[in-house]
Amino acid sequence: MKFATEIPRAPSRWLPAWRFVLVFALVGLGIGVVEAALLYFIPRVTGLIQPDVEYVIWFLAPLVDLLAGALTGLVLGLLYVSKKNQPLMTAVLVSAGLALTGAYLFWMLDWFRIGAGTLFPRHLVVSTAVKFFLIIFVIALVPATLGSKHVDHFFKSEQWFSRRRGLELHAIVLAILVGGIVFYATHRPMNYAAMQSKGGPSRAAPSTLPNIALIVLDTVRADHFSCYGYPRPTTPNLCALAGQGVLFQNAIAPSSWTLPSLTSIFTGLMPHQTGVDWGMALDADPWTIAKILQSKGYETAGFNSNPFYGLAGWRLSEGFDFYDDDSLSIRHNLAVTFLGQSILQTLYNRVVRYNQFDHRNADGLNRDVKRWMRRRDISNPYFLFINYMDAHRPYLPPAQFDHRFGRILSRLLPRVTAALADGRPPSAYTHEERVDLIAGYDNSLAYLDSRVGNLIDFLRTQPGGRQTIFLITSDHGEGFGEHGTYDHGWNLYREVLHIPLIIAGPTIPMGMRVSSPVPTRDIFSTVVDLALGLKGVVASTSLRRFWQPESMPPAASSGVISELDIFSQGADPASLSLTTPEWHLIINPGGQPELYNIRSDPGEKSNLASDPSLQTTVTQLRATLQARLAYSLLPWRGLAYLSPLNRAGSDFIRQVSQKQLRLPTENIMPIGSAQAVFSHQPPSQLVHPSPSEQQALRSLPYH
């Protein structure tokens, strides 16, 4: 039987729409590859020593941009089939599609601001995208119109490639991208930091050393703890732990924001010594707690839920066998993409909840810590560092805790999460709104207390759990308008410096309270002392001197120093402060002093700096502050921190080196002495001062 010749099938009416989807999906795929390369090879911000993404970004960014491109093509394709099919219409739609994808690419690059090897994310400006769209549309429209018939034929004809082949191509690409993401999710990498030994002792495996758990509660102020006198029962579990150990009533942070505070805890150095700042990572020279204990046979692990200043790229991972920051999570890798920050975060805020899309709460952090704990080598002691992020803005704990002391209304959340100008919200909070903010903060503390208590109970049930020493503290406090500012990192008032500090465990006395001001940078000496029992300088600066004074050399106290250098493109707005048992002296930018009697005025409402009867006190405290800084050990990597002590025509370095200051004799250990024990080579100065400044630095009276 002979069959009739088959008549060719007319192209489907929906073929052009499908072709639009395919073409712009492939364009999106290309843009995604470009974005993945940028994120994978170049740190997003100044200061990070490594990008904050993992290899999964090579699958996530192309997938996200491919889907965005396909959606763009779908819209254009539907417009095409809904209108009278004319070549000119095809040219207009293709030009519009190219303008959309091109504007997206250039908007993304402009947002990244590709510079000298660094990406600088900045706020998205819609007018910039519109400008790019119009320029690209006009440029594309001319050739598309001139070749409109060829363009129209491409979208209508099957001859370029069949629908089946196109679907197969789509399926292969999607399978590769989704498969890569699934593989990453099921084979999450262990972020082992490759640390170079500096000639330290060889690693051993002692079994008699105590475990150390250093738990930092990000953004927690001491005066909101129940055991520090707060009327609300915010922290019953942590206060119970304080009853089993030592509570320091006047612990002072070295700065009022995260990175310099954490690095001071890790190294025992002040910010002006480490140089750590908004765009400067910790240098590789100082020995961190983790590195010292690692060299003595400790298994070291860090878990940090701060999605930005907790990243390993700030060199916080130095000395950790395992450092788990947000760069390991798929959510974080997705959140840092351009669409993640421009659209996904907005949708998450409006549909799910107001918070960072990649926020890892205390439950998630505990789950990761427990997973590590069950897999670790129990023959070695461990040093465990954990940084919780649950008391940070926008103060929204899980549902069972979000109304314990009140509730933040949803209409207030956009202002709570908005960027602040000089620490002030876009519009002033009413008294009722401020009350709601504080209630939300206290709710978050209650949630945090519950989960930290749960983790402590878990750690105590693990092998060697009864030999675990716990140190609970914070990196800084939080302002609620006490001095006109909210959040933190804007000033050095007591609400952002006074933080909790609790130490409990074997060999620690129970129920003891210490009223003397203590710096949290002494946690460095304390952990090394409690773990290894080192004598000399380390023991002298260890907080153990407060509960075992008979075994320690006498240690005079001349107050605790805090430093702040606010990120600014204008003048250098640095501040310094000195806290003593009675006084808090703040030296503001320009050198102007503020003085508060924290015994009679703990809220620092009355500035006594201009009181004629207290001028001698101001002078003495200022001289003490200058002496402590002048006698701090080199190197000084962050000279901007010391700028409040500069005078016209003579900076602080020259004042000291040329003996322009009458410095009181220092009878206490210079700042950085404990760190110097572990240095095997003379420290180097990294700020590249002028020749005269170099000479001045060499003549400083450091020990």
Side-chain angles (χ1 to χ4, degrees):
M1 179 182 294
K2 294 184 178 181
F3 293 92
T5 303
E6 185 176 348
I7 300 175
R9 185 179 56 175
S12 168
R13 176 172 175 261
W14 297 101
L15 175 62
W18 172 84
R19 186 66 57 78
F20 269 99
V21 171
L22 174 62
V23 168
F24 285 99
L26 295 177
V27 171
L29 177 66
I31 293 175
V33 171
V34 172
E35 182 177 11
L38 290 172
L39 291 170
Y40 190 78
F41 291 113
I42 308 177
R44 290 187 298 131
V45 292
T46 305
L48 278 175
I49 62 173
Q50 65 190 46
D52 60 326
V53 297
E54 291 290 332
Y55 71 82
V56 72
I57 199 67
W58 288 104
F59 302 96
L60 274 172
L63 178 62
V64 168
D65 290 335
L66 180 149
L67 295 176
L71 180 61
T72 301
L74 178 62
V75 172
L76 295 173
L78 293 177
L79 288 174
Y80 179 91
V81 299
S82 65
K83 303 293 182 181
K84 186 176 181 180
N85 297 337
Q86 295 181 351
L88 184 60
M89 174 60 70
T90 307
V92 170
L93 291 176
V94 170
S95 299
L98 293 175
L100 283 172
T101 53
Y104 173 82
L105 175 61
F106 283 107
W107 194 23
M108 178 181 72
L109 297 178
D110 179 68
W111 175 68
F112 280 139
R113 284 178 62 193
I114 300 179
T118 308
L119 300 179
F120 300 84
R122 60 179 177 178
H123 295 297
L124 301 170
V125 181
V126 176
S127 59
T128 302
V130 174
K131 177 178 65 177
F132 285 139
F133 173 82
L134 293 176
I135 293 174
I136 298 171
F137 178 76
V138 171
I139 293 175
L141 186 60
V142 175
T145 301
L146 293 176
S148 59
K149 292 184 178 179
H150 297 287
V151 173
D152 189 61
H153 178 67
F154 169 80
F155 282 93
K156 289 181 178 179
S157 174
E158 284 266 19
Q159 75 180 59
W160 297 97
F161 48 86
S162 67
R163 278 169 285 186
R164 178 179 177 181
R165 185 169 299 175
L167 288 173
E168 290 174 349
L169 175 63
H170 268 90
I172 292 172
V173 171
L174 287 173
I176 293 173
L177 298 180
V178 174
I181 296 170
V182 171
F183 179 84
Y184 180 88
T186 55
H187 297 76
R188 180 172 172 169
M190 299 285 282
N191 193 11
Y192 283 100
M195 300 300 164
Q196 295 294 326
S197 174
K198 295 186 178 180
S202 61
R203 184 164 180 149
S207 59
T208 59
L209 301 180
N211 301 313
I212 306 287
L214 172 59
I215 299 176
V216 175
L217 315 176
D218 205 300
T219 321
V220 168
R221 47 191 285 176
D223 61 358
H224 279 242
F225 266 47
S226 312
C227 42
Y228 282 82
Y230 196 54
R232 286 174 170 170
T234 52
T235 54
N237 291 287
L238 292 173
C239 290
L241 182 70
Q244 302 165 16
V246 178
L247 181 146
F248 292 84
Q249 295 174 303
N250 203 5
I252 304 299
S255 190
S256 59
W257 67 284
T258 298
L259 191 58
S261 291
L262 281 185
T263 53
S264 287
I265 290 173
F266 282 4
T267 65
L269 300 173
M270 290 297 297
H272 79 271
Q273 294 172 305
T274 63
V276 166
D277 213 330
W278 302 94
M280 181 66 69
L282 177 66
D283 191 76
D285 286 341
W287 281 63
T288 63
I289 297 172
K291 187 171 184 179
I292 294 169
L293 298 190
Q294 182 190 57
S295 73
K296 294 295 184 178
Y298 272 78
E299 187 172 358
T300 56
F303 295 82
N304 202 323
S305 61
N306 188 316
F308 193 79
Y309 283 111
L311 295 170
W314 298 108
R315 203 172 263 115
L316 294 177
S317 60
E318 187 82 6
F320 285 103
D321 296 313
F322 176 58
Y323 190 81
D324 186 356
D325 64 4
D326 274 8
S327 67
L328 296 175
S329 76
I330 290 179
R331 287 175 67 115
H332 176 79
N333 282 264
L334 179 58
V336 301
T337 63
F338 185 62
L339 274 178
Q341 297 204 33
S342 60
I343 296 178
L344 181 60
Q345 180 63 58
T346 301
L347 291 175
Y348 184 78
N349 282 347
R350 294 183 178 180
V351 178
V352 183
R353 63 181 310 170
Y354 262 87
N355 211 330
Q356 288 293 115
F357 171 74
D358 53 347
H359 171 65
R360 179 167 45 157
N361 65 16
D363 284 298
L365 199 60
N366 282 1
R367 183 172 56 251
D368 294 335
V369 173
K370 292 176 181 178
R371 184 183 300 118
W372 171 82
M373 182 61 64
R374 293 187 179 105
R375 297 177 180 177
R376 63 172 294 270
D377 181 0
I378 62 174
S379 65
N380 289 340
Y382 65 79
F383 169 64
L384 177 62
F385 162 69
I386 306 171
N387 188 87
Y388 291 95
M389 196 68 176
D390 300 274
H392 201 280
R393 287 194 301 165
Y395 321 126
L396 284 179
Q400 65 268 36
F401 287 89
D402 68 357
H403 56 280
R404 181 158 297 192
F405 304 110
R407 188 190 295 269
I408 298 180
L409 299 179
S410 58
R411 61 175 176 78
L412 193 59
L413 292 175
R415 290 167 60 197
V416 175
T417 56
L420 303 181
D422 298 327
R424 291 166 173 81
S427 58
Y429 292 116
T430 65
H431 172 73
E432 292 75 15
E433 290 172 338
R434 183 174 178 272
V435 169
D436 288 345
L437 281 185
I438 294 174
Y441 181 78
D442 291 343
N443 293 337
S444 301
L445 276 183
Y447 166 66
L448 190 55
D449 173 82
S450 170
R451 297 312 183 254
V452 174
N454 174 271
L455 182 69
I456 291 174
D457 291 341
F458 169 79
L459 293 177
R460 282 177 167 169
T461 64
Q462 299 305 295
R466 294 298 173 183
Q467 299 302 313
T468 302
I469 298 175
F470 296 94
L471 296 94
I472 312 293
T473 190
S474 179
D475 51 352
H476 53 76
E478 185 81 330
F480 289 104
E482 293 88 347
H483 293 88
T485 60
Y486 290 77
D487 202 49
H488 50 268
W490 303 102
N491 50 52
L492 292 177
Y493 292 110
R494 192 161 174 80
E495 60 264 21
V496 291
L497 292 183
H498 183 209
I499 57 178
L501 177 56
I502 299 168
I503 304 178
T507 74
I508 312 297
M510 297 180 63
M512 183 177 179
R513 286 177 172 254
V514 175
S515 60
S516 299
V518 297
T520 56
R521 62 179 171 80
D522 279 357
I523 289 175
F524 170 82
S525 300
T526 306
V527 171
V528 176
D529 173 37
L530 294 174
L532 306 178
L534 300 186
K535 305 299 182 184
V537 173
V538 172
S540 298
T541 53
S542 168
L543 295 174
R544 185 158 61 98
R545 66 186 184 270
F546 289 100
W547 67 79
Q548 287 185 345
E550 70 283 352
S551 63
M552 302 288 177
S557 175
S558 59
V560 179
I561 295 175
S562 303
E563 303 175 343
L564 175 65
D565 183 25
I566 300 175
F567 177 75
S568 173
Q569 295 181 353
D572 181 24
S575 300
L576 292 164
S577 87
L578 178 72
T579 302
T580 71
E582 184 176 6
W583 302 104
H584 185 199
L585 175 72
I586 302 174
I587 307 297
N588 288 318
Q592 295 303 311
E594 295 181 39
L595 181 67
Y596 300 96
N597 189 320
I598 57 178
R599 283 180 176 169
S600 60
D601 179 25
E604 299 181 334
K605 301 296 184 183
S606 179
N607 180 7
L608 305 175
S610 60
D611 188 329
S613 66
L614 294 174
Q615 293 311 297
T616 300
T617 300
V618 172
T619 301
Q620 291 175 343
L621 291 172
R622 188 183 189 111
T624 298
L625 175 64
Q626 291 173 330
R628 294 300 315 278
L629 293 172
Y631 284 87
S632 62
L633 297 194
L634 291 178
W636 293 357
R637 295 184 173 91
L639 297 181
Y641 282 104
L642 307 180
S643 63
L645 301 179
N646 294 344
R647 296 189 307 214
S650 181
D651 59 27
F652 183 61
I653 294 175
R654 290 188 176 87
Q655 294 172 47
V656 175
S657 62
Q658 297 174 7
K659 299 182 179 179
Q660 299 175 8
L661 299 171
R662 293 184 178 180
L663 300 176
T665 303
E666 283 289 285
N667 295 321
I668 61 176
M669 289 290 178
I671 299 173
S673 296
Q675 174 63 221
V677 172
F678 304 96
S679 298
H680 295 277
Q681 57 185 359
S684 58
Q685 180 59 249
L686 302 182
V687 295
H688 304 298
S690 65
S692 61
E693 287 177 328
Q694 292 180 19
Q695 181 62 35
L697 281 168
R698 283 193 288 270
S699 64
L700 286 174
Y702 69 95
H703 298 273

